[in-house]
Amino acid sequence: MEDEVILKGENIKKKIGDYEILKGVNIEVKKGEFLSIVGASGSGKSSLLYILGLLDKPTEGKVFLDGEEIDFNNEKRLSFLRNNKLGFIFQFHYLIPELSALENVMTPMLKKGIRFEEARERALEVLKRLGLGGKENRKPYQLSGGEQQRVAIARAIANEPAVILADEPTGNLDSLNTRRVMEIFKELNHEGKTIVMVTHEKELAEETDRIVEIKDGRVIKVS
Amino acid sequence: MKHNFFISWKFFLERKRQSFVATLGVIIGTAAFIVMSSMVNGFQKFFLKEALNINGHVKIMVEPTTDKTEILRKYYEKGVFKVLGYKPKEEKDNIRNYREIVRRYEKDKNVVGVAPHLVSNGVIIYGVKEKAATLVGIFPDKEERTLSLSEYLVHKRLEEMKRDRSSVILGIKLAHELGIYEVGKKITFVAPSGEVYRLKVIDFLNTGITEIDKSRVYLHIKKLQDILDRAGEVNEIVIKLKDYNLSEYYAEKLSAETGYKAESWQESFKNFLSIFKIQKIITSSVIFAILTVSGFGIFNIIMMTVLEKKRDIAILKAMGYEPFDLILIFTLQGLIIGVLGGIAGNVAGFFILEWLETIKIEVEGIIRAQGFILDRSVSYHLYGFIFAVLTSFLASFYPAYRASKFHPVEVFRSGG
Ligand SMILES: Nc1ncnc2c1ncn2[C@@H]1O[C@H](COP(=O)(O)OP(=O)(O)O)[C@@H](O)[C@H]1O
Ligand SMILES: [Mg+2]
């Protein structure tokens, strides 16, 4: 079970115009691991994560999620998988400003079809766990950057996804909040959650189980 | 659906000022629709109702024809082979078998009543003032049965005409123009023969239709026949039907059966009906313009929301919301505006109409009234609401569609 692959990219290429951002990337994410993707700015980390997260279509190559080969033309299936099996966290937390912290966390649950009351309770629980108890009714602008990012994490794990995908989740945070986010990730990982984190900070990557290094659209090292 | 409505509702609530402005546009549009429809239709329905009441539904009259083949045909059928020339006018302006026509159609189950008239133009004099008038000679009982004349009489004194043949009823506007404000005054009428008749004003006709009130004079048909030296003559028969929609059918039937020209009210009021049509076109255009403006208000707010919320749309998609969810979220936002605006517009329209009803002003145009004549039909409220919802749906659909087409990665890459 340890080595079961939950998410896999096979020979992934991405071309925009004449420019090849990804030049045939092979990557495997094992169930329960905390994997980091590192590389300089512009090396193609985000592009890879968008494809692994089923947000973007590769020009070439295949993606497998939980054993299923992804059909990138089946919009409905992609949405379903994103909602049920994936959780996204971005550098700029991207909370919906009209919704309270609680409501932001509830949105993926409501889409999944969870009843309002149940979604509310579960969202409250997750927020409390991430140290946001009592702040659930605040709007994003009433929260600090670190708090906002924790709400975004709560939202990403709301539907108990198979894989959590984070694109520079600490890129916009001070060192204290960076630590908190890293501790949360580790804790989630200990509970068995699979996490893929993109970062350009080597020190953070060192804390993860495995590092995939990317340069100019190619994997140059896995350690 | 529910989760989408939840988000739409939040978008609506949290963008207070924009939502308020867009909703206000719908409120104004809906209220204007209701108020204008009530006013225009109120006026038109009032006019038609009163005009038909007093003028009847089908009018049989002597056609001023000089068609020789027509004359030939009539006489040929009777077995006379001689072609006659034009007949003198006095003799032609007479429905000779009017008694037979009256008797025959009074029995028709669709007919309320049949009223024979002798109609003539003349000048009436009071003091130094004189006015042109349309003199209508009537049989008081038949007139009352057919056209409920008493309804429009200020003093309800039609009975007196039966006792006193020299009595006369004046259109109230005509009376006022002559300077007559109370009954009992004597007017003078000069017959074509030169003989002078004195007639006593026993009542005033007040229909509210200016045209009638300023020209019509009723007197006993026997008296008018006497004055005009046209004993026994009738030149017009007015018929009222139980259902005025039958009037065109009856006009055809009557002219075929009697050989006289029979005219339906639609034909008699042709000019008014075409004015009404223009009036309706103008109102519809104004309403359409208002709806378009409020539609643009909605289009604007939804389009702005969509463009400002590219990031949120991208994140919703990343969380698994489908393009159709996004179409729903934004059309629902538009529908919320439409439904709330429609409801509030209905309430506003209702109270504006209530207020208009309390206003007492003298209106004088085609009709005279002491205020606004309103048609308070529920259907205008219903249509107002439907238009509000429909407009808001149409106005929000395109922005919603645009939202559903955003590619999340493009949004993220552009720095959202
Ligand atoms: N829409 C685009 N058109 C052209 N080049 C792009 C576009 N988006 C990204 N790139 C380029 O692709 C490369 C990889 O970008 P990205 O995946 O964002 O890298 P990273 O996340 O590692 O910084 C960069 O050189 C970037 O300039
Ligand atoms: Mg990046």
XYZ file of all heavy atoms in Angstrom, chain B residues 351-410:
499
model
N -49.617 51.383 -5.596
C -49.833 52.591 -4.793
C -49.901 53.858 -5.646
O -50.634 54.776 -5.323
C -48.788 52.702 -3.683
C -49.093 51.784 -2.541
C -48.334 50.649 -2.321
C -50.180 52.036 -1.713
C -48.644 49.774 -1.273
C -50.494 51.179 -0.668
C -49.722 50.047 -0.448
N -49.163 53.873 -6.745
C -49.277 55.027 -7.642
C -50.701 55.099 -8.194
O -51.319 56.163 -8.243
C -48.243 54.954 -8.787
C -46.830 55.116 -8.214
C -48.523 56.029 -9.845
C -45.719 54.837 -9.209
N -51.252 53.945 -8.571
C -52.618 53.923 -9.091
C -53.621 54.345 -8.014
O -54.559 55.093 -8.291
C -52.965 52.540 -9.628
C -52.234 52.114 -10.914
C -52.615 50.697 -11.303
C -52.548 53.070 -12.060
N -53.403 53.843 -6.785
C -54.270 54.247 -5.674
C -54.259 55.760 -5.519
O -55.289 56.398 -5.352
C -53.782 53.623 -4.355
C -54.018 52.130 -4.252
C -55.479 51.808 -3.985
O -56.018 52.267 -2.976
O -56.082 51.103 -4.824
N -53.060 56.309 -5.606
C -52.894 57.749 -5.452
C -53.558 58.499 -6.605
O -54.275 59.481 -6.409
C -51.399 58.064 -5.376
C -51.083 59.521 -5.341
C -51.352 60.384 -4.329
C -50.451 60.273 -6.375
N -50.917 61.644 -4.662
C -50.364 61.603 -5.919
C -49.939 59.956 -7.641
C -49.793 62.604 -6.690
C -49.379 60.947 -8.400
C -49.305 62.260 -7.932
N -53.345 58.000 -7.836
C -53.946 58.664 -9.001
C -55.466 58.687 -8.892
O -56.115 59.630 -9.318
C -53.535 57.954 -10.287
C -52.095 58.181 -10.749
C -51.823 57.387 -12.016
C -51.851 59.662 -11.009
N -56.015 57.631 -8.281
C -57.471 57.563 -8.163
C -58.018 58.637 -7.232
O -59.171 59.031 -7.361
C -57.899 56.177 -7.673
C -58.116 55.244 -8.844
C -58.636 53.884 -8.437
O -58.613 53.568 -7.236
O -59.042 53.141 -9.337
N -57.192 59.078 -6.291
C -57.673 60.088 -5.352
C -57.572 61.495 -5.938
O -58.167 62.419 -5.410
C -56.860 60.060 -4.038
O -55.521 60.460 -4.341
C -56.848 58.676 -3.410
N -56.832 61.630 -7.031
C -56.646 62.968 -7.593
C -57.892 63.417 -8.336
O -58.443 62.681 -9.148
C -55.438 62.973 -8.548
C -54.159 62.786 -7.750
C -55.375 64.274 -9.340
C -52.923 62.847 -8.596
N -58.345 64.603 -7.987
C -59.534 65.123 -8.674
C -59.109 66.288 -9.562
O -58.765 67.350 -9.080
C -60.555 65.610 -7.642
C -61.136 64.497 -6.806
C -62.402 63.939 -7.440
C -62.798 62.595 -6.823
N -62.054 61.463 -7.360
N -59.109 66.048 -10.864
C -58.850 67.163 -11.767
C -59.816 67.072 -12.934
O -60.311 65.996 -13.263
C -57.393 67.158 -12.308
C -57.029 65.777 -12.822
C -56.414 67.656 -11.294
C -55.859 65.756 -13.758
N -60.085 68.216 -13.503
C -60.967 68.226 -14.659
C -60.141 67.891 -15.894
O -59.202 68.602 -16.241
C -61.606 69.612 -14.823
C -62.655 69.932 -13.793
C -63.940 69.113 -13.962
O -64.290 68.801 -15.128
O -64.562 68.785 -12.938
N -60.480 66.784 -16.509
C -59.776 66.401 -17.725
C -60.735 66.640 -18.870
O -61.901 66.268 -18.800
C -59.399 64.903 -17.700
C -58.507 64.571 -18.884
C -58.715 64.550 -16.403
N -60.293 67.299 -19.884
C -61.180 67.450 -21.032
C -60.413 67.306 -22.327
O -59.502 68.059 -22.627
C -61.909 68.789 -20.985
C -62.873 68.916 -22.144
C -63.992 69.897 -21.888
O -64.108 70.379 -20.756
O -64.728 70.171 -22.839
N -60.768 66.283 -23.046
C -60.157 66.028 -24.346
C -61.191 65.294 -25.148
O -62.302 65.798 -25.326
N -60.858 64.122 -25.574
C -61.853 63.295 -26.246
C -62.944 62.936 -25.251
O -64.116 62.816 -25.572
C -61.189 62.019 -26.824
C -60.232 62.411 -27.960
C -62.240 61.068 -27.357
C -59.475 61.253 -28.543
N -62.511 62.792 -23.981
C -63.497 62.532 -22.942
C -63.347 63.580 -21.843
O -62.339 64.245 -21.736
C -63.337 61.129 -22.319
C -61.931 60.973 -21.746
C -63.603 60.055 -23.348
C -61.732 59.692 -20.994
N -64.426 63.695 -21.036
C -64.345 64.573 -19.892
C -64.458 63.728 -18.645
O -65.279 62.814 -18.581
C -65.492 65.584 -19.896
C -65.247 66.781 -20.815
C -66.443 67.705 -20.810
N -67.650 66.989 -21.238
C -68.653 66.725 -20.428
N -68.627 67.124 -19.179
N -69.696 66.070 -20.868
N -63.607 63.971 -17.679
C -63.689 63.207 -16.441
C -63.187 64.061 -15.306
O -62.542 65.077 -15.522
C -62.856 61.939 -16.555
N -63.475 63.607 -14.070
C -63.048 64.367 -12.890
C -61.773 63.784 -12.297
O -61.480 63.941 -11.146
C -64.155 64.378 -11.827
C -65.193 65.452 -12.077
C -66.069 65.100 -13.265
O -66.617 64.014 -13.338
N -66.166 66.011 -14.226
N -61.025 63.067 -13.097
C -59.793 62.463 -12.604
C -59.310 61.465 -13.629
O -59.798 61.444 -14.751
N -58.348 60.660 -13.229
C -57.832 59.666 -14.160
C -58.786 58.484 -14.217
O -59.279 58.024 -13.196
C -56.457 59.186 -13.717
C -55.421 60.258 -13.792
C -55.049 60.965 -12.663
C -54.832 60.576 -15.017
C -54.100 61.970 -12.727
C -53.881 61.581 -15.091
C -53.511 62.277 -13.951
N -59.043 58.045 -15.443
C -59.850 56.846 -15.588
C -58.873 55.695 -15.725
O -58.084 55.643 -16.667
C -60.752 56.949 -16.823
C -61.702 58.121 -16.640
C -61.502 55.655 -17.036
C -62.269 58.619 -17.930
N -58.889 54.800 -14.744
C -57.883 53.741 -14.713
C -58.530 52.388 -14.899
O -59.645 52.153 -14.448
C -57.154 53.769 -13.372
C -56.488 55.108 -13.022
C -56.025 55.096 -11.579
C -55.322 55.378 -13.959
N -57.821 51.540 -15.584
C -58.270 50.163 -15.711
C -57.408 49.349 -14.754
O -56.250 49.094 -15.023
C -58.070 49.704 -17.165
C -58.481 48.259 -17.340
O -59.211 47.756 -16.480
O -58.066 47.645 -18.335
N -58.011 48.975 -13.603
C -57.214 48.299 -12.572
C -57.229 46.795 -12.771
O -57.665 46.044 -11.909
C -57.761 48.641 -11.182
C -57.797 50.119 -10.869
C -56.416 50.689 -10.690
N -55.686 50.081 -9.607
C -55.672 50.535 -8.357
N -56.349 51.588 -8.023
N -54.955 49.929 -7.439
N -56.775 46.359 -13.917
C -56.800 44.925 -14.169
C -55.583 44.247 -13.543
O -54.474 44.753 -13.577
C -56.816 44.678 -15.672
O -56.479 43.349 -15.938
N -55.815 43.082 -12.964
C -54.721 42.309 -12.355
C -53.713 41.897 -13.434
O -52.527 41.734 -13.161
C -55.260 41.036 -11.665
C -54.152 40.331 -10.895
C -56.401 41.386 -10.736
N -54.205 41.757 -14.654
C -53.318 41.251 -15.711
C -52.133 42.186 -15.960
O -51.043 41.725 -16.274
C -54.100 41.023 -17.003
O -54.581 42.242 -17.486
N -52.307 43.498 -15.766
C -51.173 44.408 -15.966
C -50.106 44.159 -14.912
O -48.915 44.240 -15.178
C -51.610 45.871 -15.922
C -52.714 46.192 -16.895
C -53.810 46.947 -16.518
C -52.665 45.699 -18.197
C -54.838 47.216 -17.399
C -53.689 45.956 -19.085
C -54.772 46.705 -18.680
O -55.779 46.957 -19.551
N -50.562 43.848 -13.688
C -49.607 43.532 -12.622
C -48.854 42.261 -12.973
O -47.641 42.177 -12.831
C -50.341 43.376 -11.291
C -50.809 44.677 -10.724
N -50.034 45.421 -9.870
C -51.945 45.379 -10.904
C -50.695 46.521 -9.536
N -51.857 46.514 -10.161
N -49.616 41.298 -13.464
C -49.014 40.008 -13.814
C -48.013 40.179 -14.958
O -46.878 39.718 -14.888
C -50.135 39.054 -14.222
C -49.794 37.586 -14.128
C -49.570 37.217 -12.673
C -50.908 36.749 -14.728
N -48.455 40.900 -15.995
C -47.556 41.102 -17.144
C -46.324 41.908 -16.736
O -45.215 41.626 -17.166
C -48.284 41.812 -18.284
C -49.180 40.892 -19.074
C -50.509 41.219 -19.322
C -48.693 39.686 -19.582
C -51.342 40.367 -20.039
C -49.513 38.830 -20.287
C -50.836 39.173 -20.518
O -51.632 38.336 -21.216
N -46.537 42.911 -15.901
C -45.421 43.725 -15.414
C -44.379 42.839 -14.753
O -43.178 42.962 -15.005
N -44.861 41.914 -13.945
C -43.949 41.007 -13.245
C -43.241 40.087 -14.239
O -42.017 39.917 -14.188
C -44.735 40.191 -12.212
C -43.852 39.278 -11.403
C -43.048 39.792 -10.402
C -43.815 37.920 -11.663
C -42.226 38.957 -9.667
C -42.992 37.076 -10.938
C -42.193 37.595 -9.937
N -44.015 39.543 -15.148
C -43.419 38.627 -16.133
C -42.363 39.349 -16.966
O -41.268 38.830 -17.191
C -44.520 38.021 -17.032
C -45.371 37.049 -16.218
C -43.899 37.304 -18.243
C -46.617 36.572 -16.923
N -42.681 40.587 -17.389
C -41.710 41.353 -18.187
C -40.431 41.601 -17.395
O -39.335 41.505 -17.929
C -42.309 42.688 -18.639
C -43.267 42.541 -19.789
C -44.338 43.404 -19.938
C -43.081 41.534 -20.738
C -45.226 43.258 -20.999
C -43.962 41.385 -21.792
C -45.031 42.240 -21.913
N -40.597 41.924 -16.100
C -39.431 42.211 -15.254
C -38.526 40.981 -15.185
O -37.311 41.063 -15.366
C -39.883 42.624 -13.850
N -39.141 39.837 -14.962
C -38.357 38.604 -14.815
C -37.705 38.226 -16.149
O -36.530 37.869 -16.212
C -39.258 37.462 -14.286
C -38.513 36.141 -14.290
C -39.737 37.790 -12.871
N -38.501 38.364 -17.210
C -37.990 37.997 -18.536
C -36.824 38.898 -18.947
O -35.786 38.430 -19.426
C -39.131 38.146 -19.549
C -39.092 37.191 -20.727
C -39.239 35.755 -20.228
C -40.199 37.523 -21.706
N -37.017 40.214 -18.731
C -35.958 41.158 -19.075
C -34.679 40.822 -18.323
O -33.589 40.795 -18.887
C -36.373 42.597 -18.693
O -37.655 42.842 -19.252
C -35.380 43.623 -19.222
N -34.826 40.556 -17.015
C -33.633 40.324 -16.207
C -32.960 39.020 -16.612
O -31.733 38.918 -16.608
C -33.982 40.321 -14.726
O -34.917 39.306 -14.465
N -33.761 38.059 -17.003
C -33.165 36.798 -17.446
C -32.365 37.033 -18.729
O -31.205 36.627 -18.838
C -34.251 35.745 -17.687
C -33.714 34.491 -18.307
C -32.981 33.596 -17.551
C -33.901 34.229 -19.656
C -32.450 32.448 -18.115
C -33.366 33.093 -20.236
C -32.643 32.198 -19.466
N -32.995 37.715 -19.678
C -32.312 37.953 -20.959
C -31.059 38.796 -20.761
O -30.022 38.544 -21.368
C -33.263 38.657 -21.940
C -34.424 37.800 -22.426
C -35.345 38.604 -23.329
C -33.912 36.569 -23.168
N -31.179 39.806 -19.871
C -30.046 40.721 -19.677
C -28.874 40.042 -18.992
O -27.726 40.414 -19.202
C -30.489 41.941 -18.870
N -29.150 39.046 -18.159
C -28.045 38.436 -17.425
C -27.483 37.212 -18.140
O -26.423 36.716 -17.756
C -28.484 38.072 -16.005
O -29.615 37.237 -16.051
N -28.177 36.766 -19.153
C -27.724 35.514 -19.750
C -26.358 35.639 -20.427
O -25.485 34.790 -20.225
C -28.750 34.957 -20.736
C -28.366 33.576 -21.186
C -28.609 32.483 -20.377
C -27.703 33.381 -22.388
C -28.207 31.216 -20.743
C -27.289 32.109 -22.766
C -27.552 31.028 -21.942
N -26.179 36.690 -21.196
C -24.899 36.802 -21.903
C -23.706 36.920 -20.948
O -22.732 36.168 -21.090
C -24.922 37.968 -22.909
C -23.567 38.172 -23.548
C -23.082 37.260 -24.494
C -22.736 39.230 -23.171
C -21.826 37.409 -25.046
C -21.481 39.379 -23.721
C -21.038 38.474 -24.664
O -19.788 38.618 -25.205
N -23.757 37.827 -19.942
C -22.636 37.871 -18.993
C -22.415 36.512 -18.314
O -21.264 36.102 -18.117
C -23.076 38.915 -17.970
C -24.088 39.739 -18.660
C -24.758 38.876 -19.659
N -23.504 35.838 -17.975
C -23.382 34.534 -17.323
C -22.681 33.544 -18.253
O -21.819 32.768 -17.832
C -24.761 34.011 -16.941
N -23.051 33.617 -19.515
C -22.432 32.729 -20.496
C -20.935 33.016 -20.600
O -20.109 32.105 -20.634
C -23.133 32.924 -21.844
C -22.480 32.176 -22.977
C -22.676 30.806 -23.129
C -21.654 32.834 -23.886
C -22.058 30.115 -24.154
C -21.033 32.162 -24.911
C -21.239 30.788 -25.043
O -20.625 30.108 -26.043
N -20.627 34.306 -20.616
C -19.203 34.698 -20.658
C -18.449 34.118 -19.467
O -17.347 33.575 -19.605
C -19.073 36.223 -20.630
C -19.297 36.899 -21.963
C -18.075 36.769 -22.864
N -16.888 37.418 -22.300
C -16.589 38.696 -22.449
N -17.365 39.478 -23.164
N -15.498 39.208 -21.907
N -19.066 34.234 -18.296
C -18.432 33.722 -17.073
C -18.141 32.230 -17.206
O -17.080 31.752 -16.799
C -19.331 33.969 -15.869
N -19.083 31.520 -17.810
C -18.906 30.067 -17.902
C -17.758 29.702 -18.829
O -17.246 28.595 -18.793
C -20.201 29.422 -18.387
O -20.337 29.615 -19.779
N -17.331 30.657 -19.656
C -16.293 30.366 -20.645
C -14.879 30.714 -20.170
O -13.903 30.405 -20.850
C -16.572 31.140 -21.949
C -17.754 30.617 -22.728
C -17.449 29.264 -23.331
C -18.719 28.599 -23.820
N -18.585 27.152 -23.969
N -14.762 31.389 -19.026
C -13.420 31.735 -18.543
C -12.591 30.490 -18.310
O -13.051 29.511 -17.731
C -13.499 32.519 -17.221
C -13.965 33.928 -17.396
C -14.573 34.604 -16.345
C -13.793 34.599 -18.599
C -15.017 35.902 -16.500
C -14.221 35.910 -18.757
C -14.837 36.548 -17.705
N -11.341 30.563 -18.742
C -10.440 29.441 -18.511
C -9.649 29.746 -17.238
O -8.902 30.719 -17.193
C -9.502 29.276 -19.710
C -8.825 27.950 -19.720
N -8.109 27.502 -18.649
C -8.778 26.954 -20.643
C -7.644 26.293 -18.920
N -8.048 25.933 -20.137
N -9.797 28.919 -16.202
C -9.187 29.269 -14.913
C -7.677 29.505 -15.012
O -7.168 30.451 -14.409
C -9.506 28.068 -14.019
C -10.083 27.022 -14.886
C -10.584 27.682 -16.124
N -6.972 28.671 -15.780
C -5.516 28.803 -15.838
C -5.105 30.142 -16.449
O -4.185 30.798 -15.978
C -4.893 27.618 -16.602
C -3.421 27.872 -16.881
C -5.073 26.338 -15.796
N -5.831 30.543 -17.475
C -5.529 31.847 -18.079
C -5.701 32.962 -17.061
O -4.919 33.907 -17.008
C -6.427 32.095 -19.291
C -5.875 31.454 -20.549
C -6.910 31.376 -21.658
O -7.852 32.197 -21.655
O -6.763 30.485 -22.513
